[in-house]
Amino acid sequence: MYAILDIESTGGKYNEEGITEIAIHRFDGHQVVDKFICLVNPEREIQPFVAKLTGINNKMLRSAPKFHEVAKRIVEITEDAVLVAHNAQFDYRILRTEFRRLGYDFQRKTLCTVDLSKQLIPDAESHSLGKLARSLGIPMSDRHRANGDALATLKLFKLLLDKDSDKKIITEVIREETHGELSPTQLDMVFDLPSETGVYYMHDKDGQIIFIGKTKDIKKRVNQHFTNVGKVARKLQKETKKVTYEKTGSELIAILKAYLEQKKNRPRYNHVSKGKLFTHTIDFSQNGTEHIMLAPEKNRSLEHKKLAFNGIESARSFVKKVSEEFDFCPASLETDNKCSKAINAPGALECNEKVLSAFEKYSIQDKNVALTDQGRHVGERSFILIKNGRLQGFGFVELNHQINNIHILESIMTPMRSDENTTFIIETFLRKNNRLKTIPLTS
């Protein structure tokens, strides 16, 4: 027996969400034998973006029953059934949280149609409910409402049951009752972690680092490790005995620290690339032509006047972006393009100046600069020091501290090893993030 479940919630802080709508269809493998669909008064405010997404607002829920009034019905309709949901970890966690507030330990086995679909329909473009339903011809109505999504999940589940001809996958992916929940030890580890940007380290019983990660929310990311499925996730759940962390404030510092420390320590559950992180470059040099022509090429060497990219599409997207941003001449983009059809053509010199302006903005080559960002707490700024175009290190200063002298920054920074990958990481971040402030430095 299965209980096909979908929950809409208020959104908000982790484990502080409330249920706003629930739909459960009790399914015996052939037909629906019972169903329960209900709005629920969560006794807390709905986040505005959630209200916009679902169409459920606070006014609609004022007269709806509170969770304690429908809890008995939920227990009855799910009795001796496996909970089936698209991203079951989320729905089961929210449901258990609501029951826990009532002092009741609600436990059911769960089955996730995301996991199932990844195994039975591995070639699907996306495994999100909406896109998967569309690609499989499953009709959907009332998207992002509990019953609409539950019915779509039910139809998807029927299809997956048909595809699982030997029934092995169904047997393998049914989780234990407490899957998606943290053990007491894991709860203790997660409890003290900050919901802030930084690098975290997962240690085994001997204190050895077995995984290094970076994130904008340490608590949330470690919690995901402890509740995810998959071979590596299960090993981390089994072997992690302690989690330590370093707050960085800056996401870029976290990315650089994680890359360099993974490379140095080679934790057993990190996939650490021994080669270059980029596959293509764009040359901003004038290679024997009147115009500088920006053509992505497959290249793993970051030479003079080049920017690096991970993939041809990323490189092409950048060329399109800067072409519009700096109003490039057509001749800077294609060999056969003419400089201009206008009578007063600007000429190659002016065209090349625009191209070099783009390189100047998005490259750190030959520069002496500090890249500043938010710090670890209010009143602090972080900085990354670049000297002669190479990463030197990072540090933190008070807001009123003048960040413009290389020697002062060198005296307070934590050194970092520079290579072509760190240059690629920094320049990629500069292309995508407008929050960083670049400060020219004096000797």
Side-chain angles (χ1 to χ4, degrees):
M1 191 66 73
Y2 304 98
I4 315 300
L5 167 72
D6 190 83
I7 284 171
E8 302 302 328
S9 77
T10 57
K13 290 185 179 179
Y14 185 84
N15 275 354
E16 292 183 11
E17 310 101 315
I19 293 175
T20 59
E21 188 176 38
I22 187 168
I24 304 172
H25 293 257
R26 191 172 174 88
F27 177 61
D28 65 4
H30 304 283
Q31 62 184 354
V32 173
V33 296
D34 194 4
K35 60 184 175 181
F36 175 65
I37 303 155
C38 186
L39 288 170
V40 180
N41 183 343
E43 301 182 84
R44 63 199 68 213
E45 291 295 305
I46 302 174
Q47 297 293 307
F49 78 93
V50 175
K52 188 175 181 181
L53 180 70
T54 64
I56 300 172
N57 57 50
N58 294 308
K59 187 176 179 182
M60 290 169 60
L61 302 179
R62 282 176 192 156
S63 59
K66 297 178 174 65
F67 184 79
H68 71 86
E69 297 175 88
V70 299
K72 183 181 178 184
R73 177 72 171 115
I74 293 170
V75 170
E76 291 171 347
I77 198 171
T78 61
E79 194 75 48
D80 299 321
V82 177
L83 294 182
V84 178
H86 206 72
N87 190 11
Q89 176 188 315
F90 169 81
D91 296 82
Y92 187 48
R93 178 179 65 79
I94 298 290
L95 202 51
R96 274 181 61 90
T97 298
E98 288 281 19
F99 274 108
R100 196 181 291 117
R101 289 172 184 148
L102 301 179
Y104 181 79
D105 185 20
F106 179 84
Q107 294 190 19
R108 298 289 185 267
K109 290 184 178 180
T110 64
L111 193 59
C112 181
T113 50
V114 175
D115 297 340
L116 265 182
S117 63
K118 284 180 178 178
Q119 295 177 62
L120 291 167
I121 317 172
D123 297 328
E125 183 182 340
S126 169
H127 292 92
S128 70
L129 184 58
K131 290 182 179 178
L132 200 55
R134 198 157 47 243
S135 68
L136 297 171
I138 296 172
M140 285 197 75
S141 59
D142 288 334
R143 185 75 178 98
H144 299 300
R145 290 296 298 267
N147 195 44
D149 287 357
L151 286 171
T153 303
L154 173 61
K155 291 166 187 172
L156 172 62
F157 185 56
K158 287 179 180 178
L159 186 149
L160 294 170
L161 285 175
D162 291 339
K163 282 185 173 291
D164 187 28
S165 55
D166 57 10
K167 305 306 174 192
K168 286 184 179 179
I169 294 177
I170 291 288
T171 304
E172 289 172 4
V173 299
I174 288 185
R175 299 179 169 102
E176 295 300 318
E177 284 98 346
T178 56
H179 187 86
E181 295 290 306
L182 304 188
S183 70
T185 303
Q186 291 168 342
L187 276 170
D188 287 342
M189 282 190 271
V190 171
F191 183 78
D192 292 326
L193 296 175
S195 297
E196 296 179 41
T197 301
V199 179
Y200 58 93
Y201 311 85
M202 305 179 86
H203 304 260
D204 65 12
K205 60 183 175 58
D206 299 317
Q208 295 296 313
I209 297 173
I210 58 175
F211 188 87
I212 298 174
K214 87 286 184 188
T215 178
K216 291 194 282 187
D217 189 329
I218 296 170
K219 183 190 287 283
K220 182 178 179 181
R221 186 70 191 98
V222 172
N223 186 82
Q224 287 171 342
H225 283 300
F226 287 151
T227 55
N228 278 351
V229 294
K231 194 177 290 184
V232 173
R234 283 195 292 271
K235 287 180 178 179
L236 286 174
Q237 290 157 18
K238 183 179 180 181
E239 296 180 33
T240 301
K241 303 303 177 187
K242 185 178 181 181
V243 180
T244 59
Y245 63 89
E246 287 184 31
K247 292 191 285 185
T248 61
S250 161
E251 184 184 2
L252 179 54
I253 291 177
I255 295 170
L256 289 167
K257 271 180 68 67
Y259 161 71
L260 291 168
E261 291 176 1
Q262 286 171 7
K263 189 176 176 182
K264 181 180 179 181
N265 294 283
R266 299 202 170 273
R268 75 177 73 120
Y269 296 124
N270 281 110
H271 173 70
V272 182
S273 174
K274 293 181 180 179
K276 301 293 174 61
L277 300 179
F278 55 91
T279 58
H280 291 73
T281 60
I282 295 175
D283 193 347
F284 283 73
S285 300
Q286 195 169 348
N287 293 317
T289 57
E290 188 179 15
H291 284 78
I292 298 172
M293 287 184 292
L294 302 183
E297 57 182 353
K298 198 163 187 176
N299 185 6
R300 288 182 176 271
S301 178
L302 194 52
E303 299 158 0
H304 186 67
K305 279 282 191 283
K306 287 186 178 181
L307 289 178
F309 300 84
N310 185 19
I312 185 71
E313 290 306 317
S314 175
R316 286 172 178 163
S317 176
F318 174 75
V319 171
K320 184 175 184 296
K321 172 189 169 183
V322 292
S323 173
E324 293 170 356
E325 182 181 354
F326 291 90
D327 190 25
F328 284 174
C329 167
S332 301
L333 306 174
E334 295 288 344
T335 308
D336 298 331
N337 285 345
K338 292 183 179 179
C339 182
S340 175
K341 292 182 180 179
I343 296 173
N344 297 317
L349 182 62
E350 188 174 333
C351 298
N352 291 343
E353 284 177 354
K354 290 181 179 181
V355 173
L356 292 174
S357 293
F359 181 78
E360 173 67 19
K361 179 175 179 180
Y362 293 107
S363 170
I364 61 171
Q365 203 167 100
D366 299 327
K367 288 182 179 177
N368 294 321
V369 295
L371 304 176
T372 67
D373 199 354
Q374 64 187 28
R376 298 160 297 183
H377 52 75
V378 176
E380 182 181 73
R381 279 190 295 176
S382 62
F383 71 86
I384 293 172
L385 178 61
I386 310 295
K387 185 178 180 181
N388 299 323
R390 296 180 66 83
L391 171 67
Q392 300 298 303
F394 74 96
F396 302 93
V397 294
E398 297 304 310
L399 278 180
N400 58 2
H401 193 99
Q402 291 298 312
I403 306 180
N404 59 7
N405 186 287
I406 286 182
H407 301 304
I408 293 174
L409 295 184
E410 283 179 327
S411 68
I412 61 176
M413 75 175 187
T414 301
M416 278 183 157
R417 186 181 294 274
S418 176
D419 60 24
E420 289 189 341
N421 283 337
T422 59
T423 299
F424 164 68
I425 289 169
I426 292 167
E427 292 181 340
T428 300
F429 199 84
L430 285 172
R431 293 195 289 266
K432 296 178 179 178
N433 195 296
N434 295 323
R435 195 176 65 192
L436 284 181
K437 187 176 180 183
T438 303
I439 300 176
L441 299 177
T442 58
S443 298

